């Protein structure tokens, strides 16, 4: 493609120049066709690759400590059977969260909604705390879990091998610090007594339970006394 | 010696102790529960009021460590901030209070006063008001000053009952 200058005089010279210009244009359009093919081909390969990556390894975004059963994908929602999330708190004590099923939206992979949850936490003094809840939302970025129970009687249950047994309507848990809070009325059976209050916090990695607001508790001095006969003794209290 | 006896003066031994407060902190490791903020403890006819109440449980030594409601027993209660114990006509006050399950006694320590039917017995800062829970008697040890109101004060229907506070 030499830069030949075109002179404007008629006769034979212009025919030659015209042929050369024609050849140039032909070469150019062939090049354009080639580039078009390359672009189309390239982009389709890229799309295929993305879909494949998505489909075959959709969970690259999930926290590594996750193991799951069979998963089904519909729309952007992935439903997992028997997910199990585990990890270690800052003080090295383990925690583990299992559920019957988990639902995760691909666009928000850090958040997993879990059903029929069973969580186990080792407290700082090595008591083991078990948490059962009908539903919860686990946020792996913040390592927190919101527990919910639609049933009015509060079907979230937290028991500790060292002696407390808690019934809750809702709770939010921070696994890393090993703390838990519930802003709704709560009832607890503990040592041999029961405690009810407006709010509950479990702090110090599960070793301290704080009840605040309207605390009402019943203590049985003798281990022998059973919780159920408290109503009886209250009613016939007057001499 | 698991004699069933009340925890509070005037309480009946069968009844549980009801404790209400603004806040309760339960320390699992130390097996103690600290009530704070307008604490009211009731058992039978006995009512104890204090600013804080600390209940100590002794971990039942059963080898299995006990189940959720294991038998760790109420061992001792410490009450702080002016403490008052009211049962029917008898009212006892003191700076601090201690209930010792083993001794079956409640002590009100520091400037105790015991008043019944208008008669008041006062101790100084070193003396103690001692409630013996087995026979529900109360007496103040140490230096006391007493004021008696002739005519039995305002005991109403039980005017004839002698005040049981004794000086020793």
């Amino acid at each position: 493609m030499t830069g030949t200058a075109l002179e404007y005089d008629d006769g034979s010279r212009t025919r030659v120049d015209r042929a050369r210009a024609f050849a140039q244009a032909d070469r150019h359009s062939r090049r354009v066709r080639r580039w078009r093919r390359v672009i189309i081909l390239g982009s389709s390969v890229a799309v295929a690759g993305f879909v494949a990556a998505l489909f075959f390894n959709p969970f690259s975004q999930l926290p590594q400590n996750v193991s799951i059963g069979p998963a089904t994908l519909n729309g952007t929602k992935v439903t997992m059977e028997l997910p199990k999330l585990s990890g270690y708190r800052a003080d090295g004590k383990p925690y583990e969260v299992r559920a019957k099923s988990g639902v995760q939206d691909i666009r928000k992979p850090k958040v997993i909604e879990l059903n029929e949850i069973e969580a186990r936490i080792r407290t700082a003094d090595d008591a083991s705390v078990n948490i059962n809840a009908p539903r919860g939302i686990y946020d792996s970025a913040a390592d927190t879990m919101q527990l919910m129970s639609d049933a009015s009687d509060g079907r979230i249950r937290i028991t500790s091998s060292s002696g407390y047994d808690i019934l809750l309507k809702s709770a939010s848990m921070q696994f890393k610090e090993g703390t838990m809070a519930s802003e709704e009325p709560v009832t607890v059976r503990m040592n041999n007594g029961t405690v009810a209050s407006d709010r509950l916090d479990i702090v110090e990695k599960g070793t301290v339970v704080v009840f605040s607001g309207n605390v009402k508790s019943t203590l049985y001095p003798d281990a022998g006394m059973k919780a159920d006969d408290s109503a009886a003794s209250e009613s016939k209290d007057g001499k | 010696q698991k004699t069933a006896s009340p925890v509070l003066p005037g309480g009946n031994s069968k009844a549980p102790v009801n404790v209400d407060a603004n806040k309760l902190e339960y320390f699992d490791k130390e097996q103690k529960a600290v009530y704070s903020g307008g604490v009211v403890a009731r058992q039978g006819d006995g009512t104890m009021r204090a600013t804080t109440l600390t209940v100590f449980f002794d971990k039942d030594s059963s080898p299995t460590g006990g189940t959720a409601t294991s038998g760790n027993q109420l061992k001792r209660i410490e009450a702080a901030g002016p403490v008052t114990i009211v049962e029917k006509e008898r009212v006892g006050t003191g700076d601090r209070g201690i209930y010792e399950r083993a001794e079956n006694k409640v002590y009100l320590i520091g400037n105790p006063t015991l008043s019944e039917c208008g008669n008041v017995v006062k101790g100084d800062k070193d003396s103690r008001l001692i409630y013996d829970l087995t026979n529900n008697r109360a007496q103040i040890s140490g230096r006391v000053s007493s004021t008696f109101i002739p005519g039995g004060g305002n005991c109403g229907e039980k005017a004839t009952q002698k005040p049981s506070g004794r000086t020793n």
Side-chain angles (χ1 to χ4, degrees), chain A residues 21-48:
Chain A
F22 183 78
Q24 253 182 341
D26 181 45
R27 268 199 311 283
H28 176 65
S29 56
R30 244 185 289 114
R31 210 178 305 121
V32 164
R33 267 199 306 282
R34 208 176 328 112
W35 273 116
R36 200 178 328 107
R37 242 183 279 112
V38 161
I39 290 172
I40 291 171
L41 200 62
S43 58
S44 50
V45 164
V47 165

PDB file of all heavy atoms in Angstrom, chain A residues 21-48:
ATOM      1  N   ALA A  21      -6.920   1.277  -6.480  1.00  0.00           N
ATOM      2  CA  ALA A  21      -7.830   1.652  -5.375  1.00  0.00           C
ATOM      3  C   ALA A  21      -8.836   0.528  -5.131  1.00  0.00           C
ATOM      4  O   ALA A  21      -9.116   0.130  -4.005  1.00  0.00           O
ATOM      5  CB  ALA A  21      -8.567   2.944  -5.747  1.00  0.00           C
ATOM      6  N   PHE A  22      -9.284  -0.056  -6.242  1.00  0.00           N
ATOM      7  CA  PHE A  22     -10.264  -1.134  -6.098  1.00  0.00           C
ATOM      8  C   PHE A  22      -9.647  -2.296  -5.308  1.00  0.00           C
ATOM      9  O   PHE A  22     -10.225  -2.811  -4.355  1.00  0.00           O
ATOM     10  CB  PHE A  22     -10.714  -1.600  -7.496  1.00  0.00           C
ATOM     11  CG  PHE A  22     -11.785  -2.653  -7.438  1.00  0.00           C
ATOM     12  CD1 PHE A  22     -13.112  -2.301  -7.165  1.00  0.00           C
ATOM     13  CD2 PHE A  22     -11.461  -4.007  -7.572  1.00  0.00           C
ATOM     14  CE1 PHE A  22     -14.090  -3.292  -7.073  1.00  0.00           C
ATOM     15  CE2 PHE A  22     -12.439  -4.966  -7.476  1.00  0.00           C
ATOM     16  CZ  PHE A  22     -13.754  -4.608  -7.220  1.00  0.00           C
ATOM     17  N   ALA A  23      -8.371  -2.640  -5.679  1.00  0.00           N
ATOM     18  CA  ALA A  23      -7.719  -3.772  -4.993  1.00  0.00           C
ATOM     19  C   ALA A  23      -7.597  -3.454  -3.504  1.00  0.00           C
ATOM     20  O   ALA A  23      -7.882  -4.250  -2.627  1.00  0.00           O
ATOM     21  CB  ALA A  23      -6.345  -3.967  -5.622  1.00  0.00           C
ATOM     22  N   GLN A  24      -7.193  -2.187  -3.251  1.00  0.00           N
ATOM     23  CA  GLN A  24      -7.059  -1.803  -1.818  1.00  0.00           C
ATOM     24  C   GLN A  24      -8.376  -2.027  -1.072  1.00  0.00           C
ATOM     25  O   GLN A  24      -8.427  -2.648  -0.022  1.00  0.00           O
ATOM     26  CB  GLN A  24      -6.716  -0.303  -1.763  1.00  0.00           C
ATOM     27  CG  GLN A  24      -5.299  -0.026  -1.378  1.00  0.00           C
ATOM     28  CD  GLN A  24      -5.114   1.488  -1.320  1.00  0.00           C
ATOM     29  OE1 GLN A  24      -5.908   2.255  -1.893  1.00  0.00           O
ATOM     30  NE2 GLN A  24      -4.083   1.907  -0.638  1.00  0.00           N
ATOM     31  N   ALA A  25      -9.463  -1.546  -1.676  1.00  0.00           N
ATOM     32  CA  ALA A  25     -10.771  -1.657  -1.003  1.00  0.00           C
ATOM     33  C   ALA A  25     -11.101  -3.123  -0.788  1.00  0.00           C
ATOM     34  O   ALA A  25     -11.524  -3.545   0.291  1.00  0.00           O
ATOM     35  CB  ALA A  25     -11.833  -0.990  -1.873  1.00  0.00           C
ATOM     36  N   ASP A  26     -10.804  -3.952  -1.790  1.00  0.00           N
ATOM     37  CA  ASP A  26     -11.129  -5.378  -1.652  1.00  0.00           C
ATOM     38  C   ASP A  26     -10.367  -5.972  -0.462  1.00  0.00           C
ATOM     39  O   ASP A  26     -10.910  -6.630   0.411  1.00  0.00           O
ATOM     40  CB  ASP A  26     -10.735  -6.093  -2.967  1.00  0.00           C
ATOM     41  CG  ASP A  26     -11.074  -7.566  -2.861  1.00  0.00           C
ATOM     42  OD1 ASP A  26     -12.195  -7.860  -2.379  1.00  0.00           O
ATOM     43  OD2 ASP A  26     -10.188  -8.396  -3.144  1.00  0.00           O
ATOM     44  N   ARG A  27      -9.040  -5.651  -0.446  1.00  0.00           N
ATOM     45  CA  ARG A  27      -8.232  -6.204   0.676  1.00  0.00           C
ATOM     46  C   ARG A  27      -8.835  -5.754   1.996  1.00  0.00           C
ATOM     47  O   ARG A  27      -9.021  -6.509   2.942  1.00  0.00           O
ATOM     48  CB  ARG A  27      -6.778  -5.678   0.545  1.00  0.00           C
ATOM     49  CG  ARG A  27      -5.851  -6.574  -0.249  1.00  0.00           C
ATOM     50  CD  ARG A  27      -4.402  -6.278   0.025  1.00  0.00           C
ATOM     51  NE  ARG A  27      -4.068  -4.839  -0.061  1.00  0.00           N
ATOM     52  CZ  ARG A  27      -3.910  -4.181  -1.227  1.00  0.00           C
ATOM     53  NH1 ARG A  27      -4.046  -4.838  -2.380  1.00  0.00           N
ATOM     54  NH2 ARG A  27      -3.632  -2.896  -1.232  1.00  0.00           N
ATOM     55  N   HIS A  28      -9.230  -4.486   2.043  1.00  0.00           N
ATOM     56  CA  HIS A  28      -9.736  -3.939   3.315  1.00  0.00           C
ATOM     57  C   HIS A  28     -10.983  -4.698   3.751  1.00  0.00           C
ATOM     58  O   HIS A  28     -11.107  -5.173   4.877  1.00  0.00           O
ATOM     59  CB  HIS A  28     -10.058  -2.449   3.128  1.00  0.00           C
ATOM     60  CG  HIS A  28     -10.673  -1.826   4.337  1.00  0.00           C
ATOM     61  ND1 HIS A  28      -9.980  -1.695   5.537  1.00  0.00           N
ATOM     62  CD2 HIS A  28     -11.934  -1.397   4.579  1.00  0.00           C
ATOM     63  CE1 HIS A  28     -10.772  -1.162   6.459  1.00  0.00           C
ATOM     64  NE2 HIS A  28     -11.972  -0.974   5.903  1.00  0.00           N
ATOM     65  N   SER A  29     -11.908  -4.900   2.780  1.00  0.00           N
ATOM     66  CA  SER A  29     -13.167  -5.548   3.208  1.00  0.00           C
ATOM     67  C   SER A  29     -12.897  -6.985   3.615  1.00  0.00           C
ATOM     68  O   SER A  29     -13.444  -7.503   4.579  1.00  0.00           O
ATOM     69  CB  SER A  29     -14.186  -5.477   2.065  1.00  0.00           C
ATOM     70  OG  SER A  29     -13.628  -6.067   0.924  1.00  0.00           O
ATOM     71  N   ARG A  30     -11.931  -7.645   2.939  1.00  0.00           N
ATOM     72  CA  ARG A  30     -11.623  -9.011   3.394  1.00  0.00           C
ATOM     73  C   ARG A  30     -11.108  -8.975   4.837  1.00  0.00           C
ATOM     74  O   ARG A  30     -11.509  -9.756   5.688  1.00  0.00           O
ATOM     75  CB  ARG A  30     -10.585  -9.635   2.438  1.00  0.00           C
ATOM     76  CG  ARG A  30     -11.155 -10.845   1.689  1.00  0.00           C
ATOM     77  CD  ARG A  30     -10.174 -11.586   0.831  1.00  0.00           C
ATOM     78  NE  ARG A  30      -9.779 -10.829  -0.350  1.00  0.00           N
ATOM     79  CZ  ARG A  30      -8.513 -10.376  -0.537  1.00  0.00           C
ATOM     80  NH1 ARG A  30      -7.586 -10.631   0.365  1.00  0.00           N
ATOM     81  NH2 ARG A  30      -8.248  -9.682  -1.617  1.00  0.00           N
ATOM     82  N   ARG A  31     -10.265  -7.975   5.095  1.00  0.00           N
ATOM     83  CA  ARG A  31      -9.719  -7.898   6.470  1.00  0.00           C
ATOM     84  C   ARG A  31     -10.877  -7.690   7.468  1.00  0.00           C
ATOM     85  O   ARG A  31     -10.973  -8.326   8.496  1.00  0.00           O
ATOM     86  CB  ARG A  31      -8.742  -6.704   6.537  1.00  0.00           C
ATOM     87  CG  ARG A  31      -7.636  -6.928   7.555  1.00  0.00           C
ATOM     88  CD  ARG A  31      -6.673  -5.755   7.570  1.00  0.00           C
ATOM     89  NE  ARG A  31      -6.118  -5.466   6.267  1.00  0.00           N
ATOM     90  CZ  ARG A  31      -6.256  -4.278   5.638  1.00  0.00           C
ATOM     91  NH1 ARG A  31      -6.962  -3.326   6.215  1.00  0.00           N
ATOM     92  NH2 ARG A  31      -5.735  -4.092   4.442  1.00  0.00           N
ATOM     93  N   VAL A  32     -11.806  -6.803   7.095  1.00  0.00           N
ATOM     94  CA  VAL A  32     -12.943  -6.529   7.992  1.00  0.00           C
ATOM     95  C   VAL A  32     -13.719  -7.802   8.241  1.00  0.00           C
ATOM     96  O   VAL A  32     -14.032  -8.169   9.373  1.00  0.00           O
ATOM     97  CB  VAL A  32     -13.872  -5.454   7.352  1.00  0.00           C
ATOM     98  CG1 VAL A  32     -15.212  -5.465   8.058  1.00  0.00           C
ATOM     99  CG2 VAL A  32     -13.209  -4.098   7.433  1.00  0.00           C
ATOM    100  N   ARG A  33     -13.972  -8.568   7.149  1.00  0.00           N
ATOM    101  CA  ARG A  33     -14.730  -9.826   7.348  1.00  0.00           C
ATOM    102  C   ARG A  33     -13.974 -10.723   8.322  1.00  0.00           C
ATOM    103  O   ARG A  33     -14.535 -11.271   9.256  1.00  0.00           O
ATOM    104  CB  ARG A  33     -14.901 -10.530   5.984  1.00  0.00           C
ATOM    105  CG  ARG A  33     -16.187 -10.210   5.245  1.00  0.00           C
ATOM    106  CD  ARG A  33     -16.490 -11.240   4.207  1.00  0.00           C
ATOM    107  NE  ARG A  33     -15.373 -11.446   3.279  1.00  0.00           N
ATOM    108  CZ  ARG A  33     -15.083 -10.602   2.259  1.00  0.00           C
ATOM    109  NH1 ARG A  33     -15.813  -9.490   2.092  1.00  0.00           N
ATOM    110  NH2 ARG A  33     -14.077 -10.842   1.461  1.00  0.00           N
ATOM    111  N   ARG A  34     -12.671 -10.797   8.129  1.00  0.00           N
ATOM    112  CA  ARG A  34     -11.905 -11.698   9.015  1.00  0.00           C
ATOM    113  C   ARG A  34     -12.071 -11.247  10.475  1.00  0.00           C
ATOM    114  O   ARG A  34     -12.387 -12.003  11.367  1.00  0.00           O
ATOM    115  CB  ARG A  34     -10.407 -11.660   8.614  1.00  0.00           C
ATOM    116  CG  ARG A  34      -9.707 -12.964   8.955  1.00  0.00           C
ATOM    117  CD  ARG A  34      -8.257 -13.016   8.503  1.00  0.00           C
ATOM    118  NE  ARG A  34      -7.963 -12.282   7.296  1.00  0.00           N
ATOM    119  CZ  ARG A  34      -7.198 -11.159   7.254  1.00  0.00           C
ATOM    120  NH1 ARG A  34      -6.694 -10.681   8.366  1.00  0.00           N
ATOM    121  NH2 ARG A  34      -7.005 -10.540   6.117  1.00  0.00           N
ATOM    122  N   TRP A  35     -11.894  -9.912  10.726  1.00  0.00           N
ATOM    123  CA  TRP A  35     -11.985  -9.415  12.097  1.00  0.00           C
ATOM    124  C   TRP A  35     -13.376  -9.694  12.665  1.00  0.00           C
ATOM    125  O   TRP A  35     -13.534 -10.116  13.815  1.00  0.00           O
ATOM    126  CB  TRP A  35     -11.713  -7.899  12.105  1.00  0.00           C
ATOM    127  CG  TRP A  35     -10.239  -7.640  12.220  1.00  0.00           C
ATOM    128  CD1 TRP A  35      -9.438  -7.043  11.324  1.00  0.00           C
ATOM    129  CD2 TRP A  35      -9.408  -8.058  13.320  1.00  0.00           C
ATOM    130  NE1 TRP A  35      -8.151  -7.029  11.758  1.00  0.00           N
ATOM    131  CE2 TRP A  35      -8.097  -7.643  12.994  1.00  0.00           C
ATOM    132  CE3 TRP A  35      -9.645  -8.735  14.525  1.00  0.00           C
ATOM    133  CZ2 TRP A  35      -7.014  -7.902  13.825  1.00  0.00           C
ATOM    134  CZ3 TRP A  35      -8.561  -8.970  15.349  1.00  0.00           C
ATOM    135  CH2 TRP A  35      -7.247  -8.551  14.988  1.00  0.00           C
ATOM    136  N   ARG A  36     -14.376  -9.550  11.823  1.00  0.00           N
ATOM    137  CA  ARG A  36     -15.727  -9.773  12.364  1.00  0.00           C
ATOM    138  C   ARG A  36     -15.839 -11.204  12.861  1.00  0.00           C
ATOM    139  O   ARG A  36     -16.294 -11.468  13.950  1.00  0.00           O
ATOM    140  CB  ARG A  36     -16.776  -9.507  11.269  1.00  0.00           C
ATOM    141  CG  ARG A  36     -18.130  -9.240  11.881  1.00  0.00           C
ATOM    142  CD  ARG A  36     -19.255  -8.928  10.970  1.00  0.00           C
ATOM    143  NE  ARG A  36     -18.938  -8.221   9.767  1.00  0.00           N
ATOM    144  CZ  ARG A  36     -18.934  -8.815   8.546  1.00  0.00           C
ATOM    145  NH1 ARG A  36     -19.211 -10.098   8.455  1.00  0.00           N
ATOM    146  NH2 ARG A  36     -18.659  -8.146   7.478  1.00  0.00           N
ATOM    147  N   ARG A  37     -15.305 -12.114  12.026  1.00  0.00           N
ATOM    148  CA  ARG A  37     -15.431 -13.523  12.424  1.00  0.00           C
ATOM    149  C   ARG A  37     -14.686 -13.732  13.755  1.00  0.00           C
ATOM    150  O   ARG A  37     -15.209 -14.317  14.693  1.00  0.00           O
ATOM    151  CB  ARG A  37     -14.815 -14.406  11.320  1.00  0.00           C
ATOM    152  CG  ARG A  37     -15.850 -15.345  10.691  1.00  0.00           C
ATOM    153  CD  ARG A  37     -15.234 -16.248   9.687  1.00  0.00           C
ATOM    154  NE  ARG A  37     -15.064 -15.577   8.386  1.00  0.00           N
ATOM    155  CZ  ARG A  37     -13.857 -15.270   7.847  1.00  0.00           C
ATOM    156  NH1 ARG A  37     -12.762 -15.564   8.495  1.00  0.00           N
ATOM    157  NH2 ARG A  37     -13.790 -14.633   6.701  1.00  0.00           N
ATOM    158  N   VAL A  38     -13.487 -13.159  13.869  1.00  0.00           N
ATOM    159  CA  VAL A  38     -12.694 -13.386  15.083  1.00  0.00           C
ATOM    160  C   VAL A  38     -13.478 -12.871  16.298  1.00  0.00           C
ATOM    161  O   VAL A  38     -13.635 -13.524  17.313  1.00  0.00           O
ATOM    162  CB  VAL A  38     -11.334 -12.634  14.967  1.00  0.00           C
ATOM    163  CG1 VAL A  38     -10.721 -12.474  16.340  1.00  0.00           C
ATOM    164  CG2 VAL A  38     -10.420 -13.397  14.033  1.00  0.00           C
ATOM    165  N   ILE A  39     -14.043 -11.694  16.187  1.00  0.00           N
ATOM    166  CA  ILE A  39     -14.749 -11.100  17.327  1.00  0.00           C
ATOM    167  C   ILE A  39     -15.938 -11.967  17.713  1.00  0.00           C
ATOM    168  O   ILE A  39     -16.109 -12.339  18.875  1.00  0.00           O
ATOM    169  CB  ILE A  39     -15.190  -9.669  16.973  1.00  0.00           C
ATOM    170  CG1 ILE A  39     -13.945  -8.782  16.902  1.00  0.00           C
ATOM    171  CG2 ILE A  39     -16.178  -9.145  18.011  1.00  0.00           C
ATOM    172  CD1 ILE A  39     -14.247  -7.399  16.381  1.00  0.00           C
ATOM    173  N   ILE A  40     -16.715 -12.363  16.736  1.00  0.00           N
ATOM    174  CA  ILE A  40     -17.906 -13.159  17.057  1.00  0.00           C
ATOM    175  C   ILE A  40     -17.485 -14.467  17.725  1.00  0.00           C
ATOM    176  O   ILE A  40     -17.956 -14.827  18.803  1.00  0.00           O
ATOM    177  CB  ILE A  40     -18.719 -13.435  15.776  1.00  0.00           C
ATOM    178  CG1 ILE A  40     -19.336 -12.122  15.268  1.00  0.00           C
ATOM    179  CG2 ILE A  40     -19.800 -14.468  16.040  1.00  0.00           C
ATOM    180  CD1 ILE A  40     -19.975 -12.244  13.905  1.00  0.00           C
ATOM    181  N   LEU A  41     -16.506 -15.108  17.120  1.00  0.00           N
ATOM    182  CA  LEU A  41     -16.063 -16.393  17.654  1.00  0.00           C
ATOM    183  C   LEU A  41     -15.554 -16.192  19.090  1.00  0.00           C
ATOM    184  O   LEU A  41     -15.952 -16.853  20.045  1.00  0.00           O
ATOM    185  CB  LEU A  41     -14.928 -16.940  16.758  1.00  0.00           C
ATOM    186  CG  LEU A  41     -14.707 -18.449  16.883  1.00  0.00           C
ATOM    187  CD1 LEU A  41     -15.965 -19.184  16.433  1.00  0.00           C
ATOM    188  CD2 LEU A  41     -13.515 -18.871  16.021  1.00  0.00           C
ATOM    189  N   GLY A  42     -14.709 -15.186  19.254  1.00  0.00           N
ATOM    190  CA  GLY A  42     -14.066 -14.959  20.562  1.00  0.00           C
ATOM    191  C   GLY A  42     -15.123 -14.736  21.627  1.00  0.00           C
ATOM    192  O   GLY A  42     -15.138 -15.354  22.684  1.00  0.00           O
ATOM    193  N   SER A  43     -16.097 -13.866  21.363  1.00  0.00           N
ATOM    194  CA  SER A  43     -17.072 -13.533  22.416  1.00  0.00           C
ATOM    195  C   SER A  43     -17.894 -14.768  22.762  1.00  0.00           C
ATOM    196  O   SER A  43     -18.156 -15.052  23.934  1.00  0.00           O
ATOM    197  CB  SER A  43     -17.965 -12.410  21.941  1.00  0.00           C
ATOM    198  OG  SER A  43     -18.592 -12.839  20.747  1.00  0.00           O
ATOM    199  N   SER A  44     -18.245 -15.570  21.796  1.00  0.00           N
ATOM    200  CA  SER A  44     -19.086 -16.735  22.136  1.00  0.00           C
ATOM    201  C   SER A  44     -18.276 -17.692  23.022  1.00  0.00           C
ATOM    202  O   SER A  44     -18.770 -18.228  24.012  1.00  0.00           O
ATOM    203  CB  SER A  44     -19.548 -17.437  20.868  1.00  0.00           C
ATOM    204  OG  SER A  44     -18.418 -17.658  20.061  1.00  0.00           O
ATOM    205  N   VAL A  45     -16.989 -17.816  22.714  1.00  0.00           N
ATOM    206  CA  VAL A  45     -16.155 -18.701  23.559  1.00  0.00           C
ATOM    207  C   VAL A  45     -16.156 -18.152  24.990  1.00  0.00           C
ATOM    208  O   VAL A  45     -16.371 -18.863  25.975  1.00  0.00           O
ATOM    209  CB  VAL A  45     -14.700 -18.756  23.003  1.00  0.00           C
ATOM    210  CG1 VAL A  45     -13.778 -19.325  24.075  1.00  0.00           C
ATOM    211  CG2 VAL A  45     -14.672 -19.593  21.728  1.00  0.00           C
ATOM    212  N   ALA A  46     -16.042 -16.838  25.098  1.00  0.00           N
ATOM    213  CA  ALA A  46     -15.974 -16.249  26.452  1.00  0.00           C
ATOM    214  C   ALA A  46     -17.271 -16.529  27.203  1.00  0.00           C
ATOM    215  O   ALA A  46     -17.292 -16.988  28.348  1.00  0.00           O
ATOM    216  CB  ALA A  46     -15.761 -14.737  26.323  1.00  0.00           C
ATOM    217  N   VAL A  47     -18.414 -16.319  26.535  1.00  0.00           N
ATOM    218  CA  VAL A  47     -19.702 -16.540  27.213  1.00  0.00           C
ATOM    219  C   VAL A  47     -19.807 -17.994  27.657  1.00  0.00           C
ATOM    220  O   VAL A  47     -20.130 -18.307  28.797  1.00  0.00           O
ATOM    221  CB  VAL A  47     -20.878 -16.171  26.258  1.00  0.00           C
ATOM    222  CG1 VAL A  47     -22.165 -16.747  26.809  1.00  0.00           C
ATOM    223  CG2 VAL A  47     -20.953 -14.674  26.088  1.00  0.00           C
ATOM    224  N   ALA A  48     -19.439 -18.891  26.732  1.00  0.00           N
ATOM    225  CA  ALA A  48     -19.534 -20.332  27.080  1.00  0.00           C
ATOM    226  C   ALA A  48     -18.681 -20.588  28.312  1.00  0.00           C
ATOM    227  O   ALA A  48     -19.097 -21.219  29.286  1.00  0.00           O
ATOM    228  CB  ALA A  48     -19.039 -21.165  25.911  1.00  0.00           C
TER     229      ALA A  48
END
